[in-house]
Amino acid sequence: GSSYTDSYIRRALRPRPGQRVAVKLDGCQPQSLAITDGHGNVDLTIVRLGGIIELNILQPTPTGLATLQYQFVYRPAQQLTPIHLVVEGHGDRTRQLYRETWIDNSDAPTEYEDHADPDALLLGNGFEITEDHVYAMCQVVGNRSQHYLRTTDAGLRVPMEFLYYSATPAIMRILAST
């Protein structure tokens, strides 16, 4: 339609301290771009494969790297908006990131039954909530409530944000199995 949004590609390509950018050319035409962090780890790649532009954002996981892959098509005839997201398969590529991030990536995973993949394993390790965790979470989310500053005679109070932390593995299981 007639609505436009800011490009998330600009945010992904925004320069950050310590980054290095490598561009490979084929004659005068760029073929690929790789952005590495200050430690030499690849954060992002862009590769031109014929008429398709592939953007890969790499995310470290406990067992390696997970990749969020976007594919775009270049249509120079559409001068105002020549680059378009390839919608076909986009959901599958996003679910693959969830699989790589949350499934089969733990030394002690919890099994679950999944009709799409009954052999899949889900990261389901327990965790203990401490005063330090609650304080750190409140700092991150800007929660300044006095209820969460310290343990009282009634026990430790925990903000609702911890619900998301504890529910994320189950949510990812659902997203990755559809």
Side-chain angles (χ1 to χ4, degrees):
S2 62
S3 59
Y4 294 91
T5 60
D6 288 336
S7 172
Y8 54 87
I9 302 301
R10 277 192 182 160
R11 288 191 305 269
L13 296 175
R14 185 185 83 235
R16 292 172 181 82
Q19 283 184 329
R20 292 184 179 251
V21 177
V23 178
K24 290 185 182 177
L25 300 174
D26 181 12
C28 294
Q29 295 293 316
Q31 291 299 308
S32 68
L33 174 137
I35 298 177
T36 57
D37 64 16
H39 303 288
N41 302 314
V42 177
D43 287 334
L44 182 143
T45 63
I46 299 175
V47 180
R48 194 175 102 203
L49 307 165
I52 299 291
I53 301 167
E54 190 174 278
L55 167 68
N56 296 297
I57 301 173
L58 292 93
Q59 174 65 41
T61 68
T63 60
L65 289 176
T67 303
L68 177 57
Q69 183 184 85
Y70 291 96
Q71 291 182 344
F72 301 92
V73 63
Y74 177 60
R75 297 182 182 136
Q78 296 179 336
Q79 295 178 0
L80 291 177
T81 57
I83 299 175
H84 300 266
L85 178 68
V86 175
V87 178
E88 184 178 327
H90 180 68
D92 293 333
R93 291 187 294 274
T94 303
R95 278 189 288 279
Q96 182 61 33
L97 170 73
Y98 296 144
R99 284 185 202 101
E100 291 174 0
T101 302
W102 292 97
I103 300 174
D104 289 333
N105 68 351
S106 172
D107 292 337
T110 300
E111 294 186 39
Y112 72 100
E113 186 175 329
D114 184 344
H115 298 289
D117 184 2
D119 297 323
L121 298 175
L122 170 68
L123 176 62
N125 296 333
F127 62 95
E128 179 181 342
I129 301 173
T130 67
E131 273 188 55
D132 290 339
H133 291 133
V134 172
Y135 181 75
M137 171 69 87
C138 289
Q139 291 294 314
V140 168
V141 300
N143 187 336
R144 292 182 176 83
S145 173
Q146 296 294 316
H147 296 290
Y148 309 119
L149 290 180
R150 64 185 62 84
T151 303
T152 65
D153 292 338
L156 178 64
R157 291 187 179 184
V158 179
M160 285 295 295
E161 288 84 1
F162 268 96
L163 174 66
Y164 303 114
Y165 179 78
S166 62
T168 298
I171 292 168
M172 292 305 120
R173 183 193 93 195
I174 292 166
L175 292 173
S177 67
T178 57

